[in-house]
C-alpha cells in the first residue's frame, strides 16, 4: 500500500482531535488529552470536508475497498446462514446455491451504491439519510439501523461462542465465555477507531480465506449435490424466494453503514470504480461463505457425525467438519471463530456514530463511549439468546432487511428524480447539521410507512405469514422485497 493511502488509513482527518461540540471545557479537555495519549478516534458524526480527504486514490485504494468487504464477510456467521437452506427451507444444493448467490449479489449492489456516497458527501451513512428522510424521520431510520447493527453483532457473538465451546476439550469452555472473549476483543479494536479498524480489516481476510479453502477441501466429499428440493413445485418456489430474501437481507443491511468507511476518500473518487470493487468484494465473499454452509448442511442426513453436531448447534457442525484434521482442525475452527471479530467490528464501530445522531446531547458523548455501550448491549443479549440462533436468523434478519430495501429505493429516486438527473436541485453537503435547511420529510416518511405496510402483506415469518405470501406453496414465501420497494417509490412519487 502506497504512502498516501497508508497515511489516510492511519490518520484519517486527524480523528483524534475532531469531536462533538463541547458542553464543558474541562470535560472536553480531559477527553482530548485522553485521545492524544491513547490515539483514540474522537471524530464522530462531523462531516469530513474535501480539504480533510487524505486518501490519494490509486488502484491500491480500490483494492483496500475490495479487501475490506472480503474480510468482513468471510465469516462463520454467513456459513451458518447457508446451513438454513437445507435444514429449514428444504432446498437442494443447486437451488440453495443459486438463491444464495442471487440474493447476496442483489443486496450487495445496494451496499456498493451507498458506499459511493461516502467520498461524494463526506458524511456518515445515517447523516446522508437526513437528505432523503428529513431531520426527524431520519432519526427513525437511525434507530432501526442501530437495531440491525446490534442484532448482527449479537448473532456474531453467539456463533463465535458456539465454535469456541465446541472446539474446547470436552466442551470445557462454555458458550458464555466464548461470547465474552470475542466481544471484548472487538471493543478493544473499535475503541481506537478508524485507523486500527482499517489496519485490522486489511489483513483479516487472509487466515479466513485459507481456512475456508481447507473447509471445502476436507468436507466437499460429504456434500449432497444430487438430492432435489423437498415439496411440490409451488412449495419449492416459495422456499426459494424465502431463502433468497434471507440472503438478500443479510447483504443489504450493510447499506446502513457502507458510506462510513469511505468518508476520507476525496469527492473526486470515481463512483463506478468504488461501486464495482465493493460489489466484487461483497458478492464473492458472501458466495464463498454461504455455499460452504449449504454444502455442510446437505451432508447432515448422510453423515451421522454431522447430524449429531447440528443437533447441538450450527457452530458445532462447523467444528465437526474440521475433525478429520485432528489438532490442526481444531486450530482451524478457532481461526474461524476469531474471524468473526472482523465481522463484528463494522457494526460495533458504526453503532458508536449512530448513537450520536439520536439527539444533540448524545453527540456530546464520544464515539468510543457509545461503542462501549453498544458492546455491553449486544453481549448481554447474546448471552440471553445463545440457545436460539436459528430462530434469530430466520426472524430477525429478514424482518430488519425490509426497511433498508425501501430506504434504498427512496434514496435512488431522490437522486434520480429530485436532485440529480431530472430534478437538478443538487446536494448542499454543508447543511448536514442544519435542521432548517434539510427536508421536513413528510413525503419520505409516508412513503416509508406505506412500503412497510406492503412488506407486512408479503412477509413470511415463523410468527406471521402475510396474505400475499400465503398464496405461494404450502408454507408461503417471503415476496416482500419484490413489492415493498415498488410500493414505497410509487408512494413517494405521488407525495411529491
Amino acid at each position: 500500500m502506497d504512502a498516501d493511502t497508508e497515511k489516510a488509513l492511519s490518520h484519517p482527518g486527524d480523528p483524534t482531535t475532531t469531536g462533538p461540540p463541547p458542553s464543558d471545557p474541562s470535560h472536553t479537555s480531559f477527553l482530548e488529552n485522553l485521545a492524544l495519549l491513547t490515539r483514540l478516534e474522537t471524530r464522530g458524526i462531523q462531516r469530513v470536508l474535501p480539504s480533510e480527504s487524505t486518501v490519494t486514490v490509486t488502484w491500491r485504494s480500490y483494492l483496500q475497498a475490495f479487501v475490506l468487504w472480503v474480510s468482513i464477510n468471510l465469516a462463520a456467521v454467513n456459513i451458518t446462514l447457508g446451513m438454513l437452506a437445507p435444514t429449514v427451507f428444504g432446498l437442494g444444493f443447486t437451488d440453495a446455491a443459486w438463491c444464495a448467490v442471487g440474493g447476496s449479489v442483489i443486496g450487495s449492489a445496494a451496499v456498493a451504491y451507498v458506499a459511493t456516497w461516502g467520498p461524494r458527501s463526506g458524511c456518515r451513512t445515517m447523516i446522508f439519510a437526513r437528505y432523503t428522510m428529513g431531520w426527524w424521520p431520519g432519526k427513525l431510520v437511525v434507530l432501526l439501523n442501530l437495531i440491525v447493527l446490534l442484532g448482527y453483532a449479537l448473532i456474531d457473538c453467539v456463533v463465535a461462542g458456539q465454535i469456541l465451546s465446541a472446539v474446547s476439550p470436552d466442551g470445557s469452555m462454555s458458550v458464555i465465555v466464548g461470547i465474552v472473549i470475542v466481544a471484548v476483543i472487538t471493543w478493544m479494536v473499535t475503541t481506537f477507531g478508524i485507523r486500527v479498524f482499517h489496519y485490522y480489516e486489511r489483513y483479516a481476510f487472509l487466515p479466513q480465506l485459507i481456512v475456508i479453502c481447507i473447509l471445502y477441501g476436507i468436507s466437499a466429499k460429504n456434500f449432497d449435490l444430487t438430492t432435489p428440493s423437498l415439496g411440490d413445485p409451488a412449495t419449492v418456489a416459495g422456499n426459494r424466494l424465502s431463502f433468497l430474501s434471507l440472503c438478500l437481507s443479510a447483504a443489504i443491511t450493510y447499506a446502513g453503514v457502507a458510506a462510513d468507511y469511505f468518508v476520507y476518500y476525496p469527492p473526486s473518487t470515481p463512483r463506478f470504480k468504488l461501486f464495482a470493487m465493493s460489489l466484487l468484494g461483497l458478492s464473492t465473499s458472501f458466495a464463498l461463505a454461504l455455499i460452504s454452509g449449504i454444502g455442510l448442511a446437505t451432508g447432515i442426513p448422510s453423515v451421522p457425525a454431522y447430524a449429531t453436531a447440528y443437533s447441538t448447534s450450527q457452530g458445532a457442525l462447523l467444528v465437526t467438519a474440521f475433525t478429520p484434521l485432528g489438532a490442526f482442525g481444531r486450530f482451524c475452527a478457532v481461526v474461524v471463530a476469531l474471524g468473526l471479530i472482523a465481522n463484528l467490528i463494522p457494526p460495533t464501530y458504526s453503532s458508536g456514530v449512530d448513537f450520536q445522531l439520536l439527539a444533540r446531547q448524545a453527540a456530546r458523548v464520544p464515539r468510543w463511549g457509545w461503542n462501549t455501550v453498544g458492546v455491553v448491549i449486544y453481549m448481554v443479549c447474546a448471552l440471553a439468546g445463545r440457545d436460539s440462533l436459528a430462530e434469530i436468523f430466520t426472524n430477525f434478519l429478514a424482518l430488519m432487511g425490509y426497511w433498508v430495501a425501501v430506504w434504498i429505493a427512496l434514496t435512488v429516486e431522490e437522486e434520480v428524480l429530485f436532485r440529480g438527473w431530472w430534478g437538478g436541485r443538487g446536494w448542499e453537503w454543508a447543511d448536514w447539521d442544519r435542521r432548517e435547511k434539510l427536508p421536513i420529510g413528510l413525503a419520505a416518511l409516508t412513503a416509508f410507512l406505506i412500503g412497510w405496510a406492503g412488506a407486512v402483506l408479503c412477509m413470511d415469518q415463523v410468527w406471521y405469514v402475510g396474505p400475499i405470501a400465503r398464496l405461494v406453496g404450502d408454507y408461503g414465501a417471503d415476496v416482500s422485497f419484490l413489492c415493498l420497494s415498488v410500493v414505497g417509490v410509487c408512494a413517494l412519487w405521488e407525495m411529491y
Side-chain angles (χ1 to χ4, degrees), residues 71-73 75 77-78 156 201 254 339-347:
S71 294
I72 291 171
N73 289 308
V77 67
N78 292 322
D156 281 337
E201 300 289 359
Y254 284 109
L340 280 162
I341 295 171
N343 193 262
L344 263 169
I345 288 171

Side-chain angles (χ1 to χ4, degrees), residues 364-398:
R364 301 184 186 280
V365 179
R367 177 204 53 79
W368 49 269
W370 285 119
N371 280 153
T372 304
V373 172
V375 169
V376 171
I377 290 173
Y378 69 64
M379 183 173 65
V380 171
C381 292
L383 294 174
R386 64 187 182 275
D387 297 324
S388 306
L389 182 61
E391 289 79 4
I392 295 173
F393 259 133
T394 53
N395 295 334
F396 172 79
L397 287 187

Side-chain angles (χ1 to χ4, degrees), residues 218 305-306 309 316-330 333:
I218 198 66
Y306 282 13
L317 172 57
L318 188 52
V319 172
T320 300
F322 286 111
T323 300
L325 298 178
F328 180 68
R330 291 193 293 274

Side-chain angles (χ1 to χ4, degrees), residues 433-490:
D433 202 31
R434 300 174 65 184
R435 184 173 62 188
E436 69 277 5
K437 295 290 186 178
L438 293 169
I440 297 174
L442 292 179
L445 178 61
T446 302
F448 187 81
L449 296 176
I450 292 175
W452 262 89
V456 171
L457 297 176
C458 301
M459 69 170 57
D460 178 19
Q461 301 295 321
V462 173
W463 44 270
Y464 174 77
V465 179
I468 296 177
R470 197 179 296 118
L471 299 175
V472 184
D474 293 337
Y475 307 109
D478 196 324
V479 295
S480 54
F481 285 105
L482 301 178
C483 68
L484 65 85
S485 295
V486 175
V487 171
V489 166
C490 291

Side-chain angles (χ1 to χ4, degrees), residues 22-229:
S23 56
D24 178 3
S26 62
H27 174 66
T28 303
S29 177
F30 169 75
L31 293 178
E32 289 178 350
N33 291 334
L34 178 64
L36 290 172
L37 179 65
T38 61
R39 297 187 63 81
L40 297 178
E41 178 194 6
T42 58
R43 178 189 285 274
I45 60 176
Q46 294 74 26
R47 178 183 174 229
V48 178
L49 300 175
S51 60
E52 296 178 301
S53 299
T54 53
V55 174
T56 300
V57 178
T58 66
W59 67 269
R60 292 181 177 88
S61 307
Y62 300 116
L63 180 62
Q64 172 67 20
F66 171 81
V67 168
L68 171 71
W69 293 118
V70 172
S71 294
I72 291 171
N73 289 308
L74 274 183
V77 67
N78 292 322
I79 298 175
T80 56
L81 175 61
M83 294 177 186
L84 300 181
T87 58
V88 174
F89 298 101
L91 295 178
F93 181 88
T94 302
D95 280 345
W98 277 111
C99 291
V101 172
S104 60
V105 168
I106 296 171
S108 297
V111 179
Y113 166 73
V114 174
T116 65
W117 288 100
R120 188 178 182 186
S121 67
C123 294
R124 307 286 186 166
T125 311
M126 290 293 102
I127 285 286
F128 167 66
R130 289 175 173 177
Y131 289 84
T132 303
M133 298 294 298
W135 181 273
W136 293 111
K139 294 183 184 296
L140 171 63
V141 174
V142 172
L143 183 60
L144 291 172
N145 198 48
L146 278 170
I147 295 173
V148 169
L149 297 178
L150 299 180
Y152 266 97
L154 179 161
I155 294 171
D156 281 337
C157 283
V158 173
V159 173
Q162 289 179 350
I163 296 173
L164 291 174
S165 176
V167 79
S168 62
D170 300 320
S172 55
M173 177 186 291
S174 69
V175 175
I176 295 175
V177 174
I179 289 172
V180 173
I181 288 174
V182 295
V184 169
I185 295 175
T186 301
W187 174 81
M188 293 172 63
V189 174
T190 56
T191 293
F192 285 93
I194 200 72
R195 179 178 61 88
V196 178
F197 172 102
H198 273 290
Y199 188 85
Y200 187 94
E201 300 289 359
R202 192 183 313 160
Y203 303 106
F205 80 97
L206 187 57
Q208 289 298 100
L209 180 61
I210 292 172
V211 296
I212 287 180
C213 288
I214 293 172
L215 176 64
Y216 272 104
I218 198 66
S219 63
K221 64 179 181 294
N222 296 320
F223 290 5
D224 182 355
L225 307 181
T226 58
T227 300
S229 300

